[in-house]
Amino acid sequence: MSISTICCIGAGYVGGPTMSVIAQKNPSIKVIVVDMNQARIDAWNSEDLDKLPIFEPGLDAVVAEARGRNLFFSTDVEGAIHEADMIFISVNTPTKTYGAGKGMAADLQYVELCARQIAKIATSDKIVVEKSTLPVKTAEAIKDILENTGTGVNFEILSNPEFLAEGTAVQDLEAPDRVLIGGDQTESGLKAIEALVNIYATWVPKNQIITTNLWSSELSKLTANAFLAQRVSSINALTELCESTGANIDDVAKAIGTDSRIGPKFLKASVGFGGSCFQKDILNLVYICKSLGLDEAANYWEQVIIMNNHQRSRFAQQIVTSLYGTVAGKKIGFLGWAFKKDTNDTRESAAIYIADKLIEEQAHIQVYDPKVTAVQMHSDLNGLNSRTETENSQFLDIHNNPYTALEGAHALAVITEWDEFKTYDWQKIYDGMLKPAFIFDGRNILDQAALETIGFTYKAIGR
Ligand code: NAD
Ligand code: UGA
């Protein structure tokens, strides 16, 4: 079965970059990315490539090559569904904020809406691909909706979870460790799997394309994120012990990471992991385990989140304690607001929680981030609903220059590991700060010895 037109519902952090790379590598396939958010689609269509809705290194070049040739961004969801042979569902699946499973289960309303839209519009056979991260067994619900249309249209459902990380999305898509495709092990299911394998095989070696049944594929995605987050929580769980014993967490990480069975990645101690997925997917896993009565498994994975929350709040507490027990009226500079470097995404960023806790203590936060907008930072803080918008705005100042953000500050906290922070004129920053000038390096990226020579009081996580 060969595919001539692909539609992707959801032009977000996954749909946009993934489809751009698929279109770039498959110039003979028409790829239409649709979204109901007009502003997002307008931004994807922007002439000025700096105005794409998400910042990812290298993405502008991929979009420039494919857009208008075989890559299209549109709000005409129904038209694209009608035209496509293969439809990716790449919509958001956030943690539920209401009803049963509130605060834990994945909210599948957007996914179900897509399935219903496809059921309503389709007049020819379609392969429907789950790109969103979904609880194991979701394909059953999608199938149920699609198989009861009464139109005689045949649907094959595939699961093709995405493993890209933000900040390295293009690199991850161009050279993935693996591509995972799950589908029914029937004749038509296997044909659908093959059709999707052929699309990826234009640039991914076939031995890196893993095929499984639907349920293994759905569960592997949640499991991969749970394992990655668990490594971060595991290393973070040792930082306090390092601080009280004189061990250095970076040394420990290096020493254990050189064991080939452990490996060096995801062992960097931090203020805590953020991002839209780790917490959401683990909570979802915990919820599924609890629903099945698997309490020990649920408690095991929940501990990863508990440790992460602890790491964020203890970082904020360390700032308060070091600044003589009070930060009321004090200025604290934040370097970084994004949840990691090289992205403008702030979802679940530790910055939001640390700022919230310090504002609770009446500190004034002055932030500089190279890519995050002021509107986004205010909206993140207001989203916690701890205070009114007016109250928050009195405590949060956003700067577009790091030097002014740190001017007159009692302390600065490195929240995101942006490379540019290492290149600053630290003497100039020191001169502009109140003394003693504290640095709380939540990412352990700065040169401790050089900063202490200047006169800073430097505190890193796990040292
Ligand atoms: P996102 O919020 O950036 O994008 C989702 C988009 O879907 C939004 O623009 C929204 O307007 C659109 N949408 C929702 N319902 C729609 C509908 N019915 N019709 C048209 N458009 C609709 O989300 P994201 O970060 O791209 O994540 C999407 C999925 O991919 C999630 O399940 C997530 O867990 C998973 N995932 C995300 C990442 C990541 O790095 N962000 C990586 C791997 C997997
Ligand atoms: C993560 C996974 O890495 C992707 O494979 C997955 O596709 C994606 O989630 C998803 O499903 O959304 P992402 O959240 O974009 O990707 O970024 P990561 O590089 O995994 O970082 C997550 C968080 O952990 C960041 O806040 C990062 O700073 C933190 N982290 C990471 C550490 O604190 N220490 C580390 O050693 C690694």
Side-chain angles (χ1 to χ4, degrees), residues 81 89-90 108 113 187 197 206 216 232 236 257 279 299 310 351 370 377 389 394 412 418 448 451:
I81 292 175
I89 299 179
S90 188
L108 299 179
L113 205 70
E187 196 186 333
V197 166
K206 273 217 168 146
S216 303
V232 178
N236 281 344
Q279 174 168 304
N299 294 342
H310 171 67
M377 294 187 214
E389 288 187 30
Q394 287 163 8
L412 74 89
W418 286 101
Q448 175 166 5
L451 294 168

Side-chain angles (χ1 to χ4, degrees), residues 9-17 34-37 40 54 56 77 89-94 109-111 113-114 117 131-134 161-166 221 225 276-277 280-281 339 345 347:
I9 310 178
Y13 282 88
V14 168
V34 290
D35 203 294
M36 57 192 181
N37 181 335
R40 214 165 206 188
I54 64 175
E56 276 295 338
V77 180
I89 299 179
S90 188
V91 298
N92 35 327
T93 50
Q109 61 168 313
Y110 308 106
V111 172
L113 205 70
C114 289
Q117 247 173 328
K131 187 50 119 176
S132 297
T133 301
L134 297 169
E162 185 48 59
F163 295 103
L164 69 79
E166 290 178 27
K221 172 62 195 177
N225 274 356
S276 61
C277 293
K280 155 177 93 66
D281 293 346
F339 81 98
D345 195 350
R347 291 177 288 182

Side-chain angles (χ1 to χ4, degrees), residues 233-254:
S233 274
S234 292
I235 200 76
N236 281 344
L238 293 162
T239 51
E240 277 173 289
L241 190 53
C242 286
E243 286 161 25
S244 24
T245 56
N248 177 325
I249 198 68
D250 285 339
D251 292 344
V252 174
K254 189 172 180 194

